[in-house]
Amino acid sequence: MPVKLLPAKITISGTVLSLRMNKAGDHLFGWTDSKEVFTCSINDMIVRSFETGDEIEIAKMSDNGNYLAVVYKNSKGDVFKIDGEKLFSFTTNVNQLMNERLVSFFPSGNYLLAVAEENRARIYDSTGAGLFYLTGHTGRVNSIDISPDGRFVVTASCDKKAIIWNFNHYTKKFSVYNTFTAHKDTVWSCEFNNTGKFILTASADSMVKIWNLKCEEPFVYFYFLSNSIHGYCGFSPSYDVRLRKTEKHFKYMPQYYQKAYDARFATGHGSIIASNYIYNKN
């Protein structure tokens, strides 16, 4: 973080629930429990804030720092300019587990926002016109991401699939480019790396997978550092040892046999941060 930000005071009301930085690294933004969204430009330290109509679940800022998409706990959402001017509303799929990736901004061009909406995704322009529906999943869409060059969209769903979409210049519509079917349970998250050549998915089948636009898995082995006496460990996703022999391996790597719901590239694409969950009646 730039030295000029330390210290810096951002005056808001209520309790801060989240404070984040946009992809370009030139804006801070966040929201509070008093239905307030706030932003701070790092270049000029101008702080803006405005109130929304409902309780906030998440918010996303566009790469250029000009727009905010706010998702509410009631599965509704609004798109604002950074000064608080409301542009349009949308609906999405808020659930009890994974809501971080329900909306994604396009980096540039004629399209502004892609939104997960029931079993499909919808693409909007800056006026709020719903230009396209991405229809192909048979289960709820849990995650959506856009490649850094804006050419491809990827969606992940409860139907155990992740679909890559791109704009077909012959039909003048978005269509399926490829479909990834290697997961055996709900796919909770999907994310492009910083080159747009690889996609990372996390699934309730306990697997985290890296694949390319051809739906190939070029990286067979993952290595990770465990906090057990065994230290460095590795596994091959192709063997699916977590699903078939958990009674044998669980005692060695218990934290890696739970259901994965989020995975993201760190340091561009050199590392992965993954999160998991378990079902617990209590």
Side-chain angles (χ1 to χ4, degrees):
M1 185 172 290
V3 175
K4 61 184 179 182
L5 288 184
L6 303 174
K9 186 176 182 180
I10 302 176
T11 302
I12 51 91
S13 61
T15 299
V16 176
L17 299 181
S18 183
L19 176 63
R20 306 183 180 192
M21 183 173 282
N22 68 333
K23 285 185 179 180
D26 55 12
H27 279 81
L28 296 171
F29 69 99
W31 59 94
T32 74
D33 62 354
S34 59
K35 305 176 183 178
E36 180 184 20
V37 175
F38 59 92
T39 66
C40 178
S41 171
I42 290 177
N43 296 324
D44 54 22
M45 292 306 296
I46 294 177
V47 177
R48 299 179 175 91
S49 65
F50 57 90
E51 291 187 3
T52 62
D54 295 292
E55 191 174 356
I56 299 170
E57 177 68 27
I58 64 151
K60 289 286 184 70
M61 178 178 276
S62 61
D63 293 358
N64 58 17
N66 292 334
Y67 302 97
L68 285 161
V70 181
V71 175
Y72 307 113
K73 293 185 181 296
N74 59 6
S75 290
K76 296 181 180 180
D78 292 318
V79 175
F80 299 91
K81 288 185 178 179
I82 197 172
D83 60 5
E85 178 187 348
K86 180 178 173 179
L87 297 179
F88 62 90
S89 299
F90 59 88
T91 59
T92 186
N93 303 328
V94 171
N95 58 79
Q96 294 182 332
L97 180 64
M98 180 61 181
N99 298 306
E100 288 289 321
R101 302 176 181 273
L102 295 175
V103 297
S104 183
F105 280 100
F106 282 86
S108 60
N110 297 326
Y111 316 127
L112 178 69
L113 187 71
V115 178
E117 182 183 294
E118 297 179 346
N119 295 357
R120 60 192 180 184
R122 194 172 187 181
I123 294 177
Y124 295 87
D125 66 11
S126 59
T127 69
L131 302 178
F132 304 101
Y133 280 117
L134 309 187
T135 304
H137 286 291
T138 58
R140 183 189 66 216
V141 174
N142 300 311
S143 177
I144 190 166
D145 195 28
I146 300 168
S147 61
D149 59 7
R151 293 180 57 200
F152 297 96
V153 177
V154 61
T155 53
S157 170
C158 290
D159 63 8
K160 308 176 186 179
K161 298 177 183 178
I163 299 179
I164 305 172
W165 313 79
N166 75 330
F167 186 77
N168 188 317
H169 291 280
Y170 294 101
T171 63
K172 303 299 180 181
K173 296 180 180 180
F174 276 84
S175 59
V176 174
Y177 182 83
N178 224 329
T179 303
F180 186 68
T181 59
H183 284 294
K184 296 177 174 62
D185 206 335
T186 295
V187 187
W188 284 109
S189 74
C190 55
E191 180 182 278
F192 282 99
N193 77 325
N194 62 354
T195 68
K197 295 180 179 180
F198 300 106
I199 299 168
L200 176 66
T201 49
S203 169
D205 65 7
S206 302
M207 305 304 296
V208 174
K209 292 181 178 289
I210 301 177
W211 42 286
N212 58 24
L213 296 175
K214 297 180 180 180
C215 291
E216 301 167 334
E217 295 182 67
F219 306 107
V220 178
Y221 291 95
F222 288 96
Y223 292 93
F224 55 85
L225 178 65
S226 170
N227 58 358
S228 72
I229 61 173
H230 299 278
Y232 286 100
C233 303
F235 70 90
S236 168
S238 59
Y239 295 148
D240 288 348
V241 295
R242 301 176 181 191
L243 302 178
R244 299 176 184 174
K245 298 181 180 180
T246 55
E247 70 281 355
K248 177 179 179 181
H249 298 280
F250 186 84
K251 62 181 179 180
Y252 299 117
M253 298 176 287
Q255 63 271 42
Y256 295 98
Y257 288 100
Q258 314 303 338
K259 299 174 181 292
Y261 74 92
D262 190 22
R264 63 189 64 231
F265 289 103
T267 65
H269 61 269
S271 303
I272 295 171
I273 300 173
S275 303
N276 55 31
Y277 69 102
I278 59 175
Y279 288 116
N280 189 327
K281 293 181 179 180
N282 297 325

